[in-house]
Amino acid sequence: MKNQDVLVTFLDELYQGRLPSLDEMQYVNLMMDIDLFDIAPQVFAELRQKGLSHQVPEQVRLKLSSEADIVLIQNFLIKTELKMILQTFEASCIEVIPLKGTQLAERYFGGLAARGTTDIDLLVAKKDLHQASDLLISLGFDKVTGDPTHFHEEYVKPLNNASFPSLTVELHWNIIREDFTNTDVSRLWRDASLMSGCHYVYELSPLHTFYHICLHGMNHHMMSMKYFVDIATLIHVMDSRLEYAELLDVAAADRNLSKVWIALSLAYDMLPHLQRLKPMPMLPYKFKYPGWNLEKARKVMLGRKGFSYSWFRIVTAFTVHDTWGQRWSQLGFLIWNLPLLWIRKREIFR
């Protein structure tokens, strides 16, 4: 087995309830990748759920368990802050949907320790944006100056915690840049369900949760195995609740079909067992993502982007969008922003 294939083989086998036979050096390489892509909690949770945690070397199990414990503490802190924020929104009669984060970890990954997060993402209606902003500021958050063409605003609050000094809240009014998409956000609200005991706090439907995860991965160009693990885990957990025909219809209506199809295709190519578990439907045409490979993702996560990454971003601008208007908007964005994108490091892939 080649070193660069160890992580992929391990994950594909793990999801099927077994482990590949690895030697000591392969486990070293595996742990380097798990650390690089920040997926230790997901791997440890999957090992425990499959009853395989004692089949890995003790030092590997202890390392994974330690990382999961760190995530548990951090996620508990974030969940506490989220609860206070949501209670404030509820009391102020502002409709809100938490995205990803601790909600995703608990509902679909098996618990707070099963998937790390570093911030809080909230979806609000555009009409409520100003009032929601005022609420966050009243709770001690400061607004961060950002890209006015983006689909969210950032707010930061200092915390009295040496290991977690600040918390960021992203206030979304969409789940993807509006100049690159026609996403109908009202559909997300229409299909969302109220959380228990609430009148204004909602959660996304399983379909839209999966849809958002695919778009989130593509927003970061699938340059981390974390996005593959997210997609694979949701496919396993949602199973019959996830209908690809409906998903692709929604994506096509929103002009996001190429993004969703590429995210799924990459995940299915990376983890072949997914095709046996939940076969992908056939399309009369294929969307491609030229230049993507796992080695490039590793280099990007290490901050070593170089010319090949810049070229990859330019070329894929013509393949990842459904319309020519979106493609030219993306290309114009890249021309102005590639120097910044080139120097940014791995912390953007959270």
Side-chain angles (χ1 to χ4, degrees):
M1 184 190 304
K2 297 179 180 179
N3 288 339
Q4 63 264 32
D5 299 326
V6 170
L7 176 64
V8 174
T9 301
F10 181 87
L11 290 175
D12 196 51
E13 293 286 301
L14 173 59
Y15 276 114
Q16 297 176 79
R18 55 181 183 263
L19 295 179
S21 178
L22 303 180
D23 59 33
E24 184 178 350
M25 195 63 224
Q26 287 171 328
Y27 266 113
V28 169
N29 289 320
L30 173 67
M31 291 306 294
M32 287 175 62
D33 268 344
I34 287 174
D35 181 61
L36 177 66
F37 294 121
D38 294 323
I39 56 173
Q42 294 93 316
V43 170
F44 188 62
E46 199 66 33
L47 283 168
R48 293 186 64 182
Q49 290 168 16
K50 295 292 195 298
L52 300 172
S53 56
H54 287 280
Q55 292 188 27
V56 299
E58 183 179 10
Q59 66 270 27
V60 171
R61 184 176 69 255
L62 292 176
K63 171 66 174 173
L64 294 173
S65 176
S66 175
E67 292 294 325
D69 287 342
I70 292 171
V71 163
L72 175 62
I73 295 170
Q74 182 168 301
N75 275 1
F76 182 78
L77 189 155
I78 293 173
K79 182 181 178 179
T80 301
E81 290 285 334
L82 174 63
K83 182 178 180 181
M84 178 182 64
I85 292 170
L86 295 181
Q87 287 174 340
T88 304
F89 274 70
E90 176 76 13
S92 302
C93 303
I94 299 177
E95 293 183 323
V96 60
I97 302 176
L99 302 172
K100 304 193 296 1
T102 57
Q103 296 286 129
L104 185 72
E106 290 189 295
R107 178 164 291 277
Y108 295 106
F109 282 73
L112 278 179
R115 182 185 184 272
T117 189
T118 57
D119 57 13
I120 293 172
D121 296 85
L122 303 174
L123 180 67
V124 298
K126 268 190 175 180
K127 65 180 178 61
D128 295 327
L129 190 58
H130 182 72
Q131 191 177 357
S133 175
D134 288 345
L135 282 182
L136 289 178
I137 292 172
S138 73
L139 292 172
F141 289 87
D142 295 316
K143 186 176 180 180
V144 178
T145 302
D147 180 359
T149 68
H150 219 43
F151 56 99
H152 61 74
E153 298 175 343
E154 287 191 6
Y155 296 79
V156 177
K157 176 183 178 180
L159 300 176
N160 187 23
N161 189 310
S163 61
F164 195 49
S166 65
L167 175 65
T168 297
V169 171
E170 293 186 355
L171 204 56
H172 293 246
W173 55 91
N174 207 321
I175 57 173
I176 195 168
R177 290 182 70 102
E178 293 176 320
D179 51 345
F180 300 163
T181 179
N182 295 330
T183 302
D184 181 5
V185 186
S186 67
R187 187 188 295 112
L188 275 65
W189 287 100
R190 189 167 57 248
D191 293 345
S193 57
L194 282 170
M195 289 190 182
S196 177
C198 296
H199 296 91
Y200 296 94
V201 181
Y202 294 79
E203 61 179 334
L204 291 178
S205 68
L207 177 77
H208 287 138
T209 297
F210 188 78
Y211 183 39
H212 179 226
I213 286 298
C214 289
L215 293 179
H216 177 67
M218 289 303 299
N219 189 48
H220 292 292
H221 322 294
M222 299 297 287
M223 284 296 171
S224 172
M225 281 300 293
K226 181 174 183 176
Y227 308 124
F228 290 83
V229 169
D230 279 352
I231 290 172
T233 300
L234 290 184
I235 290 173
H236 276 263
V237 174
M238 290 181 177
D239 196 13
S240 61
R241 290 180 292 169
L242 179 59
E243 292 292 341
Y244 281 158
E246 184 181 1
L247 173 70
L248 297 177
D249 283 346
V250 169
D254 288 345
R255 297 293 188 267
N256 289 325
L257 182 59
S258 55
K259 298 178 185 67
V260 171
W261 188 259
I262 289 170
L264 283 175
S265 297
L266 289 175
Y268 273 66
D269 286 344
M270 185 73 71
L271 303 169
H273 82 276
L274 292 175
Q275 182 63 29
R276 297 189 294 274
L277 175 69
K278 191 172 187 66
M280 282 184 68
M282 297 295 294
L283 287 184
Y285 45 86
K286 288 187 177 181
F287 297 100
K288 297 181 180 180
Y289 209 38
W292 191 97
N293 57 67
L294 188 54
E295 198 55 41
K296 188 187 298 293
R298 288 187 175 102
K299 290 179 180 178
V300 168
M301 293 300 293
L302 290 169
R304 300 202 303 262
K305 295 182 178 179
F307 174 78
S308 66
Y309 178 72
S310 300
W311 181 245
F312 162 78
R313 292 294 307 278
I314 292 172
V315 171
T316 56
F318 291 94
T319 62
V320 77
H321 297 293
D322 288 15
T323 70
W324 279 105
Q326 292 174 353
R327 293 164 191 153
W328 289 117
S329 292
Q330 173 76 81
L331 192 59
F333 172 81
L334 289 174
I335 290 171
W336 286 105
N337 290 277
L338 264 179
L340 175 63
L341 295 169
W342 188 83
I343 63 174
R344 289 178 72 187
K345 302 299 181 180
R346 61 177 288 190
E347 51 265 19
I348 66 173
F349 296 93
R350 59 192 180 198

